[in-house]
Amino acid sequence: QWHFEQLQRMRFCLKNKMIAHLQSQFSDLQMHPLADQISEQLLSPFQVELPKSVLTQAQDFVQATFDLRQSEQYLQHYQTQLSDKNIIDPGNHAIMMSYDFHLDETQTLKLIEINTNAAFLAMGYEMYRMRGLPLPVADFTMAEIRDCILNEMQQWGSDKRQGLRVSIIDDNPQAQRLFVEFLLYQSYFKIWGFDVSIDDYRELSENVDFVYNRFTDFYFTQESSLHLKKMYCEKQICFSPNPFEYFMLADKQRLIDWVDPQFWSAFTDFDKQKNIIQKHLLSTAELTKENAEELWSQRKNLFFKPKQAFGSKQSYKGSSISRRLFDELTSQSIVAQQYLQAPEMTFNLNQQEFKLKYDLRFYVYQNRVQLVLARLYNGQVTNLQTPMGGFAPVVFV
């Protein structure tokens, strides 16, 4: 009981320290009840120490995938699919996306997924500042995000730099678990001279230049998203991220493609990129009625998740899946990925040991890693509900 109460106090103090930091740095956050926006399990008191070679691996992988994504051969390979889905290339990319990895027993990064709408970059950056820790990428600052937005606008086709009208959109953003981060971005955007609002995607106005898109209908296919699809296709607004970038890098079909030798046979002069990319991939296949029995027999070594979901929604560890549920999945759009147990690390605090799993999130713009965070947890998937777990800084030594 004493240890439990002590841990509760520690988490509460860390949360209050973060709130005090944010409100001291951003005066407009003082008017918001941040205590209601930040859970005690959001931030971990620990830090993850890893060799610098892990950061080098991530940067090499990001560069290799960006080289592939930028190539005319890659675009031509998918041209028919893009046309069928009515996905245009708007010219710009995606701010604040992430590459999420596990480390295997040889300290090799293995890609779990790529996200175009990754959360916690700004909050993570402030967490490093609050704790007085060195940033993993020493020359990164949040001012770089401003430059990324202006670069996105320029690539999209606009030279507008002053008085940019920006909307941060999501599904009922005020109800989102990390609404506090939207408020933080709003503060940053105002400092940079942007005219900014936080909007439900249903209410997005055409009177906007740039959308920081956190909405998870990645292809704008829902009935309620059709106005977004129209604005995107007609290039009325610069969306970042957008359906094109999601297709090119984050759709889990890419994980299937990149492990397929036949896929690479269509590309010339990409041996270096192929070797780097495949080194960090887990074997992945689509679950179909044709291969269902084979994958069922291998299920204990597999992890099943939807092609176009995010986070851990509707994801299942094969060793715990029932036959009834498995049979239901065969009629859905599901990928079966080689299961790699998340690495564990033991932390000591006040003479008490905590063994926690972790994954690594590398935040990226185009071909550059900008920030790195770990997510500490126990259980089947990352959850932000584990005592002493949550987002943690990574120190490369």
Side-chain angles (χ1 to χ4, degrees):
Q1 178 66 25
W2 180 83
H3 279 302
F4 175 77
E5 291 176 355
Q6 186 183 42
L7 296 179
Q8 287 285 80
R9 285 197 299 271
M10 194 171 299
R11 291 199 298 264
F12 188 69
C13 288
L14 187 61
K15 168 181 170 175
N16 284 347
K17 186 178 179 182
M18 185 64 169
I19 291 171
H21 169 80
L22 292 174
Q23 292 183 332
S24 69
Q25 300 296 313
F26 305 94
S27 58
D28 55 340
L29 293 182
Q30 295 173 9
M31 67 183 73
H32 294 283
L34 298 189
D36 299 332
Q37 302 290 340
I38 300 176
S39 77
E40 278 77 16
Q41 287 79 37
L42 186 63
L43 304 174
S44 174
F46 303 123
Q47 64 188 48
V48 173
E49 293 191 1
L50 294 171
K52 287 184 179 179
S53 60
V54 172
L55 179 59
T56 302
Q57 289 180 58
Q59 181 58 62
D60 289 346
F61 184 86
V62 167
Q63 182 67 62
T65 55
F66 186 73
D67 290 345
L68 182 65
R69 178 254 182 267
Q70 289 292 92
S71 70
E72 188 63 29
Q73 293 177 59
Y74 192 68
L75 179 61
Q76 289 303 317
H77 182 81
Y78 290 115
Q79 197 60 60
T80 300
Q81 292 182 49
L82 290 165
S83 298
D84 290 345
K85 289 177 175 286
N86 191 24
I87 298 173
I88 67 159
D89 180 359
N92 62 296
H93 293 76
I95 58 170
M96 296 179 277
M97 63 188 296
S98 77
Y99 289 56
D100 297 346
F101 294 92
H102 283 174
L103 273 175
D104 71 8
E105 66 280 357
T106 68
Q107 294 283 282
T108 301
L109 287 172
K110 295 293 183 178
L111 181 69
I112 302 302
E113 61 188 16
I114 298 175
N115 291 300
T116 51
N117 68 328
F120 221 73
L121 185 149
M123 286 287 287
Y125 177 79
E126 294 302 331
M127 179 179 68
Y128 276 93
R129 293 178 68 199
M130 175 194 76
R131 295 180 61 165
L133 291 171
L135 290 166
V137 180
D139 61 346
F140 174 74
T141 69
M142 282 298 290
E144 186 174 314
I145 299 299
R146 175 184 180 274
D147 296 339
C148 292
I149 291 173
L150 296 178
N151 187 58
E152 289 285 280
M153 286 294 296
Q154 188 173 46
Q155 291 183 332
W156 179 75
S158 171
D159 290 327
K160 184 172 182 178
R161 302 182 68 84
Q162 302 296 325
L164 207 63
R165 298 167 300 177
V166 176
S167 174
I168 303 167
I169 67 166
D170 204 341
D171 182 4
N172 192 8
Q174 285 76 11
Q176 294 296 324
R177 192 174 190 177
L178 284 175
F179 178 63
V180 61
E181 186 167 51
F182 294 170
L183 295 174
L184 179 56
Y185 281 122
Q186 185 178 48
S187 296
Y188 266 116
F189 293 172
K190 286 179 179 177
I191 290 170
W192 298 335
F194 300 162
D195 180 5
V196 58
S197 61
I198 302 171
D199 301 304
D200 187 286
Y201 76 94
R202 301 169 187 86
E203 300 168 1
L204 179 63
S205 163
E206 294 180 8
N207 192 32
V208 166
D209 301 307
F210 180 88
V211 166
Y212 172 34
N213 176 23
R214 288 282 286 267
F215 182 41
T216 54
D217 178 12
F218 303 112
Y219 288 129
F220 300 154
T221 55
Q222 298 176 14
E223 187 71 27
S224 59
S225 308
L226 294 182
H227 65 300
L228 302 182
K229 187 67 173 280
K230 182 175 184 292
M231 293 174 183
Y232 158 71
C233 288
E234 295 180 0
K235 294 199 67 171
Q236 297 173 10
I237 296 173
C238 178
F239 286 88
S240 184
N242 56 67
F244 184 80
E245 201 67 14
Y246 178 82
F247 181 95
M248 297 295 270
L249 289 172
D251 189 310
K252 293 179 182 63
Q253 179 63 43
R254 304 295 82 79
L255 301 178
I256 297 171
D257 295 344
W258 295 346
V259 297
D260 183 1
Q262 191 172 350
F263 166 83
W264 290 99
S265 66
F267 296 86
T268 56
D269 301 321
F270 276 86
D271 287 347
K272 177 183 177 183
Q273 288 83 355
K274 172 190 172 183
N275 292 337
I276 291 172
I277 290 171
Q278 292 200 325
K279 175 184 176 183
H280 298 289
L281 294 181
L282 298 166
S283 61
T284 309
E286 182 172 11
L287 173 62
T288 65
K289 287 182 169 58
E290 289 71 29
N291 66 11
E293 287 306 318
E294 179 185 359
L295 293 182
W296 171 254
S297 69
Q298 300 171 6
R299 66 190 182 281
K300 292 183 180 179
N301 298 315
L302 298 173
F303 197 86
F304 298 92
K305 51 190 175 183
K307 271 190 184 180
Q308 288 158 26
F310 62 96
S312 57
K313 287 197 171 185
Q314 297 175 297
S315 297
Y316 306 98
K317 188 178 176 182
S319 60
S320 59
I321 198 170
S322 69
R323 183 68 203 224
R324 180 190 60 78
L325 178 55
F326 178 83
D327 289 342
E328 290 177 5
L329 294 180
T330 59
S331 62
Q332 302 173 29
S333 186
I334 298 291
V335 299
Q337 187 177 57
Q338 175 189 345
Y339 177 70
L340 176 65
Q341 173 74 41
E344 287 187 328
M345 193 169 280
T346 300
F347 303 93
N348 290 283
L349 188 64
N350 294 347
Q351 299 179 328
Q352 190 171 357
E353 278 194 355
F354 297 87
K355 183 176 282 189
L356 295 167
K357 299 176 184 176
Y358 68 94
D359 72 355
L360 297 170
R361 169 162 284 189
F362 293 81
Y363 295 89
V364 168
Y365 181 65
Q366 294 190 8
N367 61 344
R368 169 172 158 84
V369 173
Q370 296 175 315
L371 191 74
V372 189
L373 294 174
R375 293 182 292 184
L376 304 181
Y377 67 100
N378 279 320
Q380 184 168 300
V381 294
T382 55
N383 50 49
L384 298 182
Q385 295 176 355
T386 300
M388 309 308 282
F391 285 98
V394 180
V395 177
F396 291 103
V397 294

